[in-house]
Every structure is written in C-alpha cells, then in structure tokens.
Amino acid sequence: LSAANSLFIVGLYDQAVKNLERAVLISPADPTINEHLGDVYWQVGRKLEAGYQWERALSLEPEKNQMKSIKKKIKAGL
C-alpha cells in the first residue's frame, strides 16, 4: 500500500491504479485500500468506479474519521 501511496503523491496515477487493484484483490475487506483505489480511479477519470469503491469502503466499517472523509468524497469527489 505504501508504494501505491507514493505513486499517488507524485502523480503516477496509472501505476497506482495497478498496484491498488492488486492490493484490493489480496485484501478485499480493507476499507483503506478500497478508499485509495477510489481516489486513484477519480484521478484517472474513472468517476463511476471511484464512487463504487468509496461506497464499498464505507460498507466495510472504516474508522469514524475515515468514514467522514469517504462520505465527503461520495458527495463531491476529490
């Protein structure tokens, strides 16, 4: 996950998508991975898929502060 975060931070979104898609296959019930996958989907223009991933992350019972952030993304995007 940290490699994908680094790619996201420096703007290498296509690489981040690949890494996070792999990560979500390994840990499908992790709300953080699903949220970050939504973030990179948004950055590469895959808005519908981003919304789906954020909804999924929300359904996986994230921490309270993370839940607030995800709800904001669902309403307004990034």
Side-chain angles (χ1 to χ4, degrees):
L1 184 58
S2 64
N5 282 342
S6 298
L7 293 168
F8 182 85
I9 290 168
V10 298
L12 298 174
Y13 303 123
D14 290 327
Q15 274 302 117
V17 166
K18 290 176 188 174
N19 287 347
L20 284 164
E21 285 176 337
R22 274 184 252 145
V24 87
L25 288 173
I26 294 167
S27 299
D30 185 313
T32 302
I33 295 172
N34 281 278
E35 179 185 6
H36 291 320
L37 181 55
D39 295 348
V40 296
Y41 278 162
W42 184 273
Q43 292 297 338
V44 298
R46 295 166 65 175
K47 310 273 195 233
L48 186 62
E49 291 166 286
Y52 172 80
Q53 288 305 138
W54 293 329
E55 290 284 352
R56 174 138 175 77
L58 198 58
S59 77
L60 296 170
E61 301 179 10
E63 299 291 324
K64 206 167 228 175
N65 62 336
Q66 186 181 13
M67 191 178 298
K68 186 177 179 181
S69 169
I70 295 168
K71 286 180 180 180
K72 184 178 174 185
K73 290 174 188 179
I74 290 169
K75 278 189 174 181
L78 288 179

